[in-house]
Amino acid sequence: MLIAAAMLAMSAMPGMAGSVKSPNGNLELTFNINQGCAMYSLTYKGKDVVKPSRLGLELAKDKHASKGMEETDLMDHFTIKDEKVTSFDETWQPVWGETKDIRNHYNEYTVTLEQQLEKKHYPKDPNTKGMWVEPQIRVIIIRFRVYDDGIGFRYEFPQQQELNYFLIKDEHTEFAMAGDHTAWWLPGDYDTQEQETQETRLSEIRGRMKEAVNWDNSSVAVFSPTGVQTSLQMRTDDGLYINIHEAACLDYATMHLELVDAQTKALSTKLGGGSNACTPNPKPSPYPLPAPLTFISHLTPDATGLKGAMQTPCETPWRTVMVSDDARDMLASNLILNLNEPCKIEDTSWIHPTKYCGVWWEMIVGKSNWHYTDDFPSIRLDQIDWNSVKPHGRHAANNEKVKRYIDFAAKNGLDEVLVEGWNVGWEDWANHWKRDVFDFVTPYPDFDIKMLNDYAHSKGVKILMHHETSSSTQNYERHIKEAYELMNKYGYDAVKTGYVGDIIPRGDHHYSQSMNNHYLYVIREAAKHHIMVNSHEATRPTGLCRTYPNLVGGESARGTEYEAFGGNRPDHTCILPFTRLQGGPMDYTPGIFETQLSTWSKNTSWVRTTLAGQLALYVTMYSPLQMAADLPENYERFDDAFQFIRDVACDWDDSKYLEAEPADYITVARKAKGTDNWFIGGKCDENGHQSVIKLDFLDKGKKYDCTIYADAKDAHYEKNPKAYVITKKVVKAGDTLKLTEAAGGGFAISLLAK
Amino acid sequence: MLIAAAMLAMSAMPGMAGSVKSPNGNLELTFNINQGCAMYSLTYKGKDVVKPSRLGLELAKDKHASKGMEETDLMDHFTIKDEKVTSFDETWQPVWGETKDIRNHYNEYTVTLEQQLEKKHYPKDPNTKGMWVEPQIRVIIIRFRVYDDGIGFRYEFPQQQELNYFLIKDEHTEFAMAGDHTAWWLPGDYDTQEQETQETRLSEIRGRMKEAVNWDNSSVAVFSPTGVQTSLQMRTDDGLYINIHEAACLDYATMHLELVDAQTKALSTKLGGGSNACTPNPKPSPYPLPAPLTFISHLTPDATGLKGAMQTPCETPWRTVMVSDDARDMLASNLILNLNEPCKIEDTSWIHPTKYCGVWWEMIVGKSNWHYTDDFPSIRLDQIDWNSVKPHGRHAANNEKVKRYIDFAAKNGLDEVLVEGWNVGWEDWANHWKRDVFDFVTPYPDFDIKMLNDYAHSKGVKILMHHETSSSTQNYERHIKEAYELMNKYGYDAVKTGYVGDIIPRGDHHYSQSMNNHYLYVIREAAKHHIMVNSHEATRPTGLCRTYPNLVGGESARGTEYEAFGGNRPDHTCILPFTRLQGGPMDYTPGIFETQLSTWSKNTSWVRTTLAGQLALYVTMYSPLQMAADLPENYERFDDAFQFIRDVACDWDDSKYLEAEPADYITVARKAKGTDNWFIGGKCDENGHQSVIKLDFLDKGKKYDCTIYADAKDAHYEKNPKAYVITKKVVKAGDTLKLTEAAGGGFAISLLAK
């Protein structure tokens, strides 16, 4: 509902500068032109959040561009042509989410900039010698939206003869930090987001970079010793929480940040030598370096080293800076979602939050396999008769096992069963530059697709489809329609996609403009077929699930699988909600009850949480798609604890962030959709946490059956992880619960209205 | 029919070398190992054709390859493990072609080579320090087929643990020429084949290169001052005709040739800097340069600079050397077709030779347009309401005009009407890096797709579909199924595809492995929908039309359109059959009767042939797809000459090349499929030609109504191009016809059996 969109008075002299405050007045955004350059800054309660920082884009010369034209950068020679301040206040309802209603309330400052440029004319008349120069005007718009919990701003490029198509060499959006903040960061990388988060001062990023990168990851493409990813969470010494990310990254390259520090001599450039199709300016950026502790945007390149091909009218994604003096506001913020377009799917009735289990963990752990045969050094899909090859006997996605998982799901109220490794091609998939790796429609001989779907449906369960592309995106696009038609035929309504390995076509990167377009193409094609998407190894989310709510999940970070690859740090899940989850829910696949993998496999890894801590994740790691990732037999051993997974909702009418500190602890209470039931989760790092929860959010006058799943007194994520205590009592609004979280532990609480 | 496949005696000592002769004994191929290198040579009637030349491939290191393994080049350390000589003789029938039967008769020499390589082992056991080295054996096969008119050879890579996947840095197949031959060549280029052919000595290539390139062509990507394309036609001073090309180029990069001459310091390399996805060996090739006048294969790179990604078992295309002392044998040869696989399309009943006209020439000439409106600097397909935009009034593909062409086709027995510019998106298409440029299903408002197809079908005519991709191949693949379903719905059975402009995804090239895979993907998808393909700006053909006979045409050279862009040289069509047509038919679009374009348009170009010469092309430029390219109103002015186009066949039971000399003249007689009628065409260069035709190929005892369309006495391609004389008489076998071809002229003869 639109409440107000009125003109506000501007606080500064038009033509030179403008500023606008947030609705509650805490944030103030200032914009001005300084020697022809576009500059902005941001304060929170009078404190500097972003010091004066430059805005602009450096362009590449397209060999087909009109002579003398499009290579002029969008960096300077700007004057203000027009300014406008407006206000907006609307409340909307997501298809699924943490709350039933979301308020989108901001003041907006829109500045139209004119850029003077010289246009060289080469006369066609051979009688005219030489060329002449004529001044031309180019127009761009920068739009700032100032919320109570942060800002978003973007560049907009109206359609005009002087800016019709352009190629981006790089975007130069600066974020000048006011101090040497503590930051939780991932190495800037064009192909992986699955590194452990680092906690350092900004000035320490360079020194930490080398050890921050696990070079064994299949797709490492680090670009700078001070490059980091977004969403980047920071904390200042005077108690501000600052988060930089982006919203609505559609047909544009994913943004990284490169920190200018005391040692920076020049910005990283990655210019293409692989093609003569375009000629990026070969000289280094001609623009002066900003002061140390300034981040500069660094976009993901394509195979030629360029960062984007644009056609006006168009705009960049929103660049976002969230800020508060309360860490809980970072988690409760809807700024990223609000900056995305409203839902574009008309009928959303087929989209539903989903709890699922799956034939997955035993393969990740290494006890069984995705592939079916060891007969060949490599395979070609068009040359193998699968019924005549020799199975190696460890193929997990077989009829018997899948039926067992279907039975387990049906018995425990889980909606779907993911089955990975059902389709032929897993014998040799990622990282061989093999284009035709999967066809997405042919099952292995021991997976009877019709029988199993019939069996599942007869028990009220669906099978969750799996499409590993192995990053051969051309191959996936060639097969996508037939693959989705197969899903429709057999009654699948959700697909987990995967992008393991290097991108084919060669030279492209996971987070480039073309790949971001691909991910969106998949989401849209899926929507046409009423299919929900859970995209693994894709680009980090930027709130697109508002516009396309069939994007119900994603990975784009280090998930639970790494607990089988050596382990995640105990503080890992106390960081992700501040960083990865800002853009959208994550398919973290929690619920590993048997934390010692060696008890049932040869894998010597162990999970770095307590069992109670695993339960907490169903509440602290918000997602409409939640997996019970462990084996059925492990859940059967801890059936009393599994009751929480049976009970917990995955869609919510309300959420209250009760306690939060990055990398330390997070406590959140959520009200299950359409009910009076609440669920509370608390998760902490390796230091444990004392949690005091005031139940003042419960309905007054109501009583609740309260079941507490807590760490036992001697629980410890390493020494005694499976020690938990289940307590039941009746509570009411105003009561207080005191809980002790063990090292690497947590708790989960269900409050069922009587 | 397979006649013989017996073992022949080998002529040289096994283990060191082998040789094999052609069935008639004129050609002799010799292979040996010299200091570990694979070498071959070829003689014709005792004369050197290819002097001893090296064979091998240089590989790139894949970052994912086993350590120390796959970067070992396939260049040396070879020994002969096995040799085999066999013979083969078979006659097969093409779906369409120049003759009813094609004999595939060769002797084959197959040599299996072992390569010693050192495999470094990195122990997994941490107690073992360092690594050890173990000799390993890798196996490749080189297969030579020796025909009476040339040879083909290829590399074959059996599946093996030591050679499972590999990346090609470049193929080093040498062709050492025995002298400074005269050559007809095009500049080696990754993206265009539409330059004028150059005629120079080999040693003059370097000096001519700069002027040989028209740098205004939209997609010039020249790689070396001595790089040329295949098929490369040469003539030696002692009267041999030699042609180098390739056959069956499927999922492999198109080959160019780089000449080593006296000035060559190093081979051209084009290594990728655009990606860190793989690390091509950055140092220059470590292998010694061969002697001057040697050609070395140079493959088209991908965006990263690599030339190919291979998975064993696999093989390269055939490298072909045709040789004869009679130039006519170059044209009559079926070597390229024979080296391709037999037809893979089971039901070919829907494939038919086609004569067509089209809404095309008036746009090429510039009188009307493909696009519909001038309202926008650029357009987005998803944002335009086509019914509300203002048409500029020059849109050619409108209902009225298309109906006129349909009427013309029906009246004159033409099978189809090509209509270009029927679908939305032409306002801004190629070379803007615009991915979503066409959807291939939405007509402009003035093109009523249902009405026009109904109208055409009611008159026994089909409309020929046009899909300009503007080289946004990803976009085409995304829409291909819907586009072909639309064709099926409305009864289109043929599509002209186009690849104008730079390839999207950026960095790729028209002739790379991935693009060659794309063209094949299109042919296969079309076949599934019973659609014939005529592919413009695609890679030059290599005989794939044997395997996929729905590939009925292609461009891949400078076509008639250049007569409107300044003109083709008069000798152009006396070269193409020796070069471009070796790999498959060309949609040259002949039949421009009004050679002075300024008589009906503002275009000042003029066609560099006589009108009679245009008629000759329907016979000399073999194609199952022949256009009558001029406007109906121009044909109506020369209706007596147009009778030849009405009469001429485009599928044949037999063909007799009567006279031929590259760039000078070509005379050929062809017997129309399933009839006793013959058609003869003669075309010459700017010097004119006296043709003496002995009709000894006609059936004895039969009489023929002979119509001769000849240049008038004073005809001249520039001064008097439309002066022609039509003569009728009755002839019989054994008669002789003497014809004078004017400068840039030719003649056409129909011989209809009485």
Side-chain angles (χ1 to χ4, degrees), chain A residues 184 199 235 570-571 573-575 578 660-666 683-689 741 745:
Chain A
W184 290 270
E199 177 179 329
R235 183 176 59 207
D571 64 354
T573 51
C574 297
I575 299 171
F578 285 94
E661 187 63 32
D664 289 346
Y665 54 82
I666 292 171
K683 185 76 193 72
C684 70
D685 67 359
E686 69 282 7
N687 299 317
H689 180 63
E741 299 172 50

PDB file of all heavy atoms in Angstrom, chain A residues 184 199 235 570-571 573-575 578 660-666 683-689 741 745:
ATOM      1  N   TRP A 184      34.438  -8.787   8.565  1.00  0.00           N
ATOM      2  CA  TRP A 184      34.297 -10.220   8.294  1.00  0.00           C
ATOM      3  C   TRP A 184      34.218 -10.370   6.790  1.00  0.00           C
ATOM      4  O   TRP A 184      33.235  -9.945   6.165  1.00  0.00           O
ATOM      5  CB  TRP A 184      33.040 -10.755   8.988  1.00  0.00           C
ATOM      6  CG  TRP A 184      33.222 -10.766  10.476  1.00  0.00           C
ATOM      7  CD1 TRP A 184      33.721 -11.795  11.222  1.00  0.00           C
ATOM      8  CD2 TRP A 184      32.942  -9.710  11.393  1.00  0.00           C
ATOM      9  NE1 TRP A 184      33.770 -11.449  12.555  1.00  0.00           N
ATOM     10  CE2 TRP A 184      33.300 -10.177  12.693  1.00  0.00           C
ATOM     11  CE3 TRP A 184      32.437  -8.414  11.270  1.00  0.00           C
ATOM     12  CZ2 TRP A 184      33.150  -9.384  13.840  1.00  0.00           C
ATOM     13  CZ3 TRP A 184      32.295  -7.623  12.401  1.00  0.00           C
ATOM     14  CH2 TRP A 184      32.653  -8.118  13.665  1.00  0.00           C
ATOM     15  N   GLU A 199      38.255 -12.673   9.890  1.00  0.00           N
ATOM     16  CA  GLU A 199      37.960 -11.531  10.759  1.00  0.00           C
ATOM     17  C   GLU A 199      39.257 -10.782  10.999  1.00  0.00           C
ATOM     18  O   GLU A 199      40.153 -11.296  11.665  1.00  0.00           O
ATOM     19  CB  GLU A 199      37.355 -12.017  12.090  1.00  0.00           C
ATOM     20  CG  GLU A 199      37.083 -10.891  13.066  1.00  0.00           C
ATOM     21  CD  GLU A 199      36.451 -11.383  14.373  1.00  0.00           C
ATOM     22  OE1 GLU A 199      35.711 -12.388  14.343  1.00  0.00           O
ATOM     23  OE2 GLU A 199      36.712 -10.748  15.410  1.00  0.00           O
ATOM     24  N   ARG A 235      32.433  -3.725  11.796  1.00  0.00           N
ATOM     25  CA  ARG A 235      32.076  -3.105  13.078  1.00  0.00           C
ATOM     26  C   ARG A 235      33.127  -2.043  13.361  1.00  0.00           C
ATOM     27  O   ARG A 235      34.331  -2.298  13.226  1.00  0.00           O
ATOM     28  CB  ARG A 235      32.055  -4.150  14.197  1.00  0.00           C
ATOM     29  CG  ARG A 235      31.609  -3.604  15.553  1.00  0.00           C
ATOM     30  CD  ARG A 235      31.520  -4.706  16.602  1.00  0.00           C
ATOM     31  NE  ARG A 235      32.812  -5.354  16.755  1.00  0.00           N
ATOM     32  CZ  ARG A 235      32.962  -6.618  17.165  1.00  0.00           C
ATOM     33  NH1 ARG A 235      31.904  -7.371  17.465  1.00  0.00           N
ATOM     34  NH2 ARG A 235      34.166  -7.140  17.267  1.00  0.00           N
ATOM     35  N   PRO A 570      33.413 -23.015  14.328  1.00  0.00           N
ATOM     36  CA  PRO A 570      32.199 -22.919  15.154  1.00  0.00           C
ATOM     37  C   PRO A 570      31.464 -21.586  14.995  1.00  0.00           C
ATOM     38  O   PRO A 570      30.252 -21.523  15.180  1.00  0.00           O
ATOM     39  CB  PRO A 570      32.734 -23.104  16.580  1.00  0.00           C
ATOM     40  CG  PRO A 570      33.991 -23.884  16.415  1.00  0.00           C
ATOM     41  CD  PRO A 570      34.596 -23.437  15.118  1.00  0.00           C
ATOM     42  N   ASP A 571      32.180 -20.520  14.656  1.00  0.00           N
ATOM     43  CA  ASP A 571      31.493 -19.219  14.541  1.00  0.00           C
ATOM     44  C   ASP A 571      30.859 -19.016  13.161  1.00  0.00           C
ATOM     45  O   ASP A 571      30.223 -17.993  12.912  1.00  0.00           O
ATOM     46  CB  ASP A 571      32.455 -18.062  14.861  1.00  0.00           C
ATOM     47  CG  ASP A 571      33.609 -17.945  13.871  1.00  0.00           C
ATOM     48  OD1 ASP A 571      33.738 -18.823  12.988  1.00  0.00           O
ATOM     49  OD2 ASP A 571      34.389 -16.988  13.994  1.00  0.00           O
ATOM     50  N   THR A 573      28.279 -20.092  11.463  1.00  0.00           N
ATOM     51  CA  THR A 573      26.846 -19.803  11.320  1.00  0.00           C
ATOM     52  C   THR A 573      26.418 -18.575  12.126  1.00  0.00           C
ATOM     53  O   THR A 573      25.252 -18.169  12.041  1.00  0.00           O
ATOM     54  CB  THR A 573      25.996 -21.018  11.709  1.00  0.00           C
ATOM     55  OG1 THR A 573      26.426 -21.481  12.997  1.00  0.00           O
ATOM     56  CG2 THR A 573      26.159 -22.135  10.687  1.00  0.00           C
ATOM     57  N   CYS A 574      27.337 -18.009  12.907  1.00  0.00           N
ATOM     58  CA  CYS A 574      27.053 -16.722  13.561  1.00  0.00           C
ATOM     59  C   CYS A 574      27.522 -15.553  12.695  1.00  0.00           C
ATOM     60  O   CYS A 574      27.355 -14.391  13.056  1.00  0.00           O
ATOM     61  CB  CYS A 574      27.719 -16.654  14.941  1.00  0.00           C
ATOM     62  SG  CYS A 574      27.074 -17.896  16.070  1.00  0.00           S
ATOM     63  N   ILE A 575      28.152 -15.885  11.556  1.00  0.00           N
ATOM     64  CA  ILE A 575      28.569 -14.852  10.600  1.00  0.00           C
ATOM     65  C   ILE A 575      27.616 -14.818   9.398  1.00  0.00           C
ATOM     66  O   ILE A 575      27.194 -13.751   8.962  1.00  0.00           O
ATOM     67  CB  ILE A 575      30.011 -15.128  10.105  1.00  0.00           C
ATOM     68  CG1 ILE A 575      30.988 -15.106  11.282  1.00  0.00           C
ATOM     69  CG2 ILE A 575      30.413 -14.102   9.046  1.00  0.00           C
ATOM     70  CD1 ILE A 575      32.380 -15.591  10.917  1.00  0.00           C
ATOM     71  N   PHE A 578      24.809 -12.387   8.879  1.00  0.00           N
ATOM     72  CA  PHE A 578      25.235 -10.998   8.680  1.00  0.00           C
ATOM     73  C   PHE A 578      25.742 -10.754   7.254  1.00  0.00           C
ATOM     74  O   PHE A 578      25.841  -9.607   6.833  1.00  0.00           O
ATOM     75  CB  PHE A 578      26.369 -10.647   9.651  1.00  0.00           C
ATOM     76  CG  PHE A 578      25.916 -10.441  11.068  1.00  0.00           C
ATOM     77  CD1 PHE A 578      25.955 -11.480  11.988  1.00  0.00           C
ATOM     78  CD2 PHE A 578      25.429  -9.204  11.479  1.00  0.00           C
ATOM     79  CE1 PHE A 578      25.534 -11.294  13.288  1.00  0.00           C
ATOM     80  CE2 PHE A 578      25.010  -9.004  12.795  1.00  0.00           C
ATOM     81  CZ  PHE A 578      25.052 -10.068  13.697  1.00  0.00           C
ATOM     82  N   ALA A 660      22.324 -10.484  19.120  1.00  0.00           N
ATOM     83  CA  ALA A 660      23.178 -10.716  17.957  1.00  0.00           C
ATOM     84  C   ALA A 660      24.504  -9.989  18.101  1.00  0.00           C
ATOM     85  O   ALA A 660      24.559  -8.837  18.571  1.00  0.00           O
ATOM     86  CB  ALA A 660      22.483 -10.251  16.670  1.00  0.00           C
ATOM     87  N   GLU A 661      25.547 -10.670  17.731  1.00  0.00           N
ATOM     88  CA  GLU A 661      26.871 -10.069  17.596  1.00  0.00           C
ATOM     89  C   GLU A 661      27.614 -10.891  16.545  1.00  0.00           C
ATOM     90  O   GLU A 661      27.674 -12.121  16.657  1.00  0.00           O
ATOM     91  CB  GLU A 661      27.616 -10.091  18.948  1.00  0.00           C
ATOM     92  CG  GLU A 661      28.935  -9.335  18.946  1.00  0.00           C
ATOM     93  CD  GLU A 661      28.762  -7.825  18.665  1.00  0.00           C
ATOM     94  OE1 GLU A 661      27.727  -7.246  19.038  1.00  0.00           O
ATOM     95  OE2 GLU A 661      29.679  -7.266  18.034  1.00  0.00           O
ATOM     96  N   PRO A 662      28.145 -10.231  15.521  1.00  0.00           N
ATOM     97  CA  PRO A 662      28.758 -11.000  14.436  1.00  0.00           C
ATOM     98  C   PRO A 662      29.828 -11.949  14.953  1.00  0.00           C
ATOM     99  O   PRO A 662      30.684 -11.555  15.757  1.00  0.00           O
ATOM    100  CB  PRO A 662      29.385  -9.925  13.537  1.00  0.00           C
ATOM    101  CG  PRO A 662      28.663  -8.669  13.854  1.00  0.00           C
ATOM    102  CD  PRO A 662      28.209  -8.790  15.272  1.00  0.00           C
ATOM    103  N   ALA A 663      29.755 -13.183  14.498  1.00  0.00           N
ATOM    104  CA  ALA A 663      30.736 -14.228  14.822  1.00  0.00           C
ATOM    105  C   ALA A 663      30.709 -14.651  16.284  1.00  0.00           C
ATOM    106  O   ALA A 663      31.543 -15.455  16.705  1.00  0.00           O
ATOM    107  CB  ALA A 663      32.151 -13.807  14.420  1.00  0.00           C
ATOM    108  N   ASP A 664      29.743 -14.136  17.051  1.00  0.00           N
ATOM    109  CA  ASP A 664      29.648 -14.529  18.461  1.00  0.00           C
ATOM    110  C   ASP A 664      28.358 -15.299  18.732  1.00  0.00           C
ATOM    111  O   ASP A 664      28.392 -16.442  19.184  1.00  0.00           O
ATOM    112  CB  ASP A 664      29.722 -13.301  19.373  1.00  0.00           C
ATOM    113  CG  ASP A 664      31.118 -12.694  19.412  1.00  0.00           C
ATOM    114  OD1 ASP A 664      32.068 -13.368  18.951  1.00  0.00           O
ATOM    115  OD2 ASP A 664      31.259 -11.538  19.860  1.00  0.00           O
ATOM    116  N   TYR A 665      27.229 -14.656  18.516  1.00  0.00           N
ATOM    117  CA  TYR A 665      25.966 -15.333  18.813  1.00  0.00           C
ATOM    118  C   TYR A 665      24.814 -14.646  18.080  1.00  0.00           C
ATOM    119  O   TYR A 665      24.894 -13.467  17.724  1.00  0.00           O
ATOM    120  CB  TYR A 665      25.684 -15.348  20.325  1.00  0.00           C
ATOM    121  CG  TYR A 665      25.738 -13.963  20.930  1.00  0.00           C
ATOM    122  CD1 TYR A 665      24.640 -13.101  20.865  1.00  0.00           C
ATOM    123  CD2 TYR A 665      26.903 -13.499  21.543  1.00  0.00           C
ATOM    124  CE1 TYR A 665      24.704 -11.817  21.389  1.00  0.00           C
ATOM    125  CE2 TYR A 665      26.970 -12.223  22.065  1.00  0.00           C
ATOM    126  CZ  TYR A 665      25.866 -11.381  21.992  1.00  0.00           C
ATOM    127  OH  TYR A 665      25.946 -10.115  22.492  1.00  0.00           O
ATOM    128  N   ILE A 666      23.775 -15.436  17.888  1.00  0.00           N
ATOM    129  CA  ILE A 666      22.532 -14.934  17.286  1.00  0.00           C
ATOM    130  C   ILE A 666      21.371 -15.661  17.959  1.00  0.00           C
ATOM    131  O   ILE A 666      21.396 -16.891  18.076  1.00  0.00           O
ATOM    132  CB  ILE A 666      22.482 -15.216  15.768  1.00  0.00           C
ATOM    133  CG1 ILE A 666      23.530 -14.380  15.024  1.00  0.00           C
ATOM    134  CG2 ILE A 666      21.084 -14.925  15.216  1.00  0.00           C
ATOM    135  CD1 ILE A 666      23.690 -14.758  13.569  1.00  0.00           C
ATOM    136  N   LYS A 683      22.289 -19.622  18.613  1.00  0.00           N
ATOM    137  CA  LYS A 683      23.515 -20.277  18.150  1.00  0.00           C
ATOM    138  C   LYS A 683      24.686 -19.409  18.559  1.00  0.00           C
ATOM    139  O   LYS A 683      24.608 -18.162  18.483  1.00  0.00           O
ATOM    140  CB  LYS A 683      23.480 -20.427  16.622  1.00  0.00           C
ATOM    141  CG  LYS A 683      24.649 -21.195  16.032  1.00  0.00           C
ATOM    142  CD  LYS A 683      24.534 -22.680  16.232  1.00  0.00           C
ATOM    143  CE  LYS A 683      25.838 -23.412  15.934  1.00  0.00           C
ATOM    144  NZ  LYS A 683      26.877 -23.202  16.954  1.00  0.00           N
ATOM    145  N   CYS A 684      25.770 -20.057  18.994  1.00  0.00           N
ATOM    146  CA  CYS A 684      26.942 -19.287  19.426  1.00  0.00           C
ATOM    147  C   CYS A 684      28.215 -19.859  18.845  1.00  0.00           C
ATOM    148  O   CYS A 684      28.204 -20.905  18.210  1.00  0.00           O
ATOM    149  CB  CYS A 684      27.020 -19.244  20.949  1.00  0.00           C
ATOM    150  SG  CYS A 684      27.445 -20.841  21.646  1.00  0.00           S
ATOM    151  N   ASP A 685      29.291 -19.170  19.055  1.00  0.00           N
ATOM    152  CA  ASP A 685      30.593 -19.579  18.537  1.00  0.00           C
ATOM    153  C   ASP A 685      31.299 -20.520  19.521  1.00  0.00           C
ATOM    154  O   ASP A 685      30.665 -21.097  20.403  1.00  0.00           O
ATOM    155  CB  ASP A 685      31.444 -18.342  18.219  1.00  0.00           C
ATOM    156  CG  ASP A 685      31.827 -17.574  19.484  1.00  0.00           C
ATOM    157  OD1 ASP A 685      31.412 -17.990  20.598  1.00  0.00           O
ATOM    158  OD2 ASP A 685      32.520 -16.563  19.371  1.00  0.00           O
ATOM    159  N   GLU A 686      32.596 -20.623  19.413  1.00  0.00           N
ATOM    160  CA  GLU A 686      33.338 -21.588  20.221  1.00  0.00           C
ATOM    161  C   GLU A 686      33.454 -21.176  21.684  1.00  0.00           C
ATOM    162  O   GLU A 686      33.944 -21.941  22.507  1.00  0.00           O
ATOM    163  CB  GLU A 686      34.738 -21.803  19.627  1.00  0.00           C
ATOM    164  CG  GLU A 686      35.699 -20.624  19.724  1.00  0.00           C
ATOM    165  CD  GLU A 686      35.443 -19.537  18.695  1.00  0.00           C
ATOM    166  OE1 GLU A 686      34.414 -19.627  17.963  1.00  0.00           O
ATOM    167  OE2 GLU A 686      36.232 -18.572  18.634  1.00  0.00           O
ATOM    168  N   ASN A 687      32.975 -19.954  22.000  1.00  0.00           N
ATOM    169  CA  ASN A 687      33.098 -19.475  23.374  1.00  0.00           C
ATOM    170  C   ASN A 687      31.846 -19.691  24.219  1.00  0.00           C
ATOM    171  O   ASN A 687      31.822 -19.306  25.384  1.00  0.00           O
ATOM    172  CB  ASN A 687      33.432 -17.972  23.375  1.00  0.00           C
ATOM    173  CG  ASN A 687      34.754 -17.712  22.680  1.00  0.00           C
ATOM    174  OD1 ASN A 687      35.728 -18.440  22.895  1.00  0.00           O
ATOM    175  ND2 ASN A 687      34.785 -16.723  21.808  1.00  0.00           N
ATOM    176  N   GLY A 688      30.819 -20.279  23.654  1.00  0.00           N
ATOM    177  CA  GLY A 688      29.573 -20.439  24.395  1.00  0.00           C
ATOM    178  C   GLY A 688      28.863 -19.107  24.571  1.00  0.00           C
ATOM    179  O   GLY A 688      29.367 -18.043  24.174  1.00  0.00           O
ATOM    180  N   HIS A 689      27.659 -19.167  25.176  1.00  0.00           N
ATOM    181  CA  HIS A 689      26.882 -17.933  25.337  1.00  0.00           C
ATOM    182  C   HIS A 689      25.800 -18.158  26.376  1.00  0.00           C
ATOM    183  O   HIS A 689      25.223 -19.234  26.473  1.00  0.00           O
ATOM    184  CB  HIS A 689      26.242 -17.555  23.992  1.00  0.00           C
ATOM    185  CG  HIS A 689      25.424 -16.303  24.054  1.00  0.00           C
ATOM    186  ND1 HIS A 689      25.965 -15.070  24.362  1.00  0.00           N
ATOM    187  CD2 HIS A 689      24.107 -16.086  23.857  1.00  0.00           C
ATOM    188  CE1 HIS A 689      25.001 -14.154  24.357  1.00  0.00           C
ATOM    189  NE2 HIS A 689      23.857 -14.755  24.048  1.00  0.00           N
ATOM    190  N   GLU A 741      24.420 -21.822  26.339  1.00  0.00           N
ATOM    191  CA  GLU A 741      24.890 -22.469  25.123  1.00  0.00           C
ATOM    192  C   GLU A 741      26.330 -22.908  25.340  1.00  0.00           C
ATOM    193  O   GLU A 741      27.167 -22.121  25.785  1.00  0.00           O
ATOM    194  CB  GLU A 741      24.812 -21.493  23.939  1.00  0.00           C
ATOM    195  CG  GLU A 741      23.386 -21.007  23.660  1.00  0.00           C
ATOM    196  CD  GLU A 741      23.334 -19.904  22.614  1.00  0.00           C
ATOM    197  OE1 GLU A 741      23.927 -20.077  21.531  1.00  0.00           O
ATOM    198  OE2 GLU A 741      22.708 -18.850  22.890  1.00  0.00           O
ATOM    199  N   GLY A 745      27.836 -24.448  20.583  1.00  0.00           N
ATOM    200  CA  GLY A 745      26.505 -25.012  20.811  1.00  0.00           C
ATOM    201  C   GLY A 745      25.386 -24.086  20.433  1.00  0.00           C
ATOM    202  O   GLY A 745      25.543 -23.167  19.623  1.00  0.00           O
TER     203      GLY A 745
END
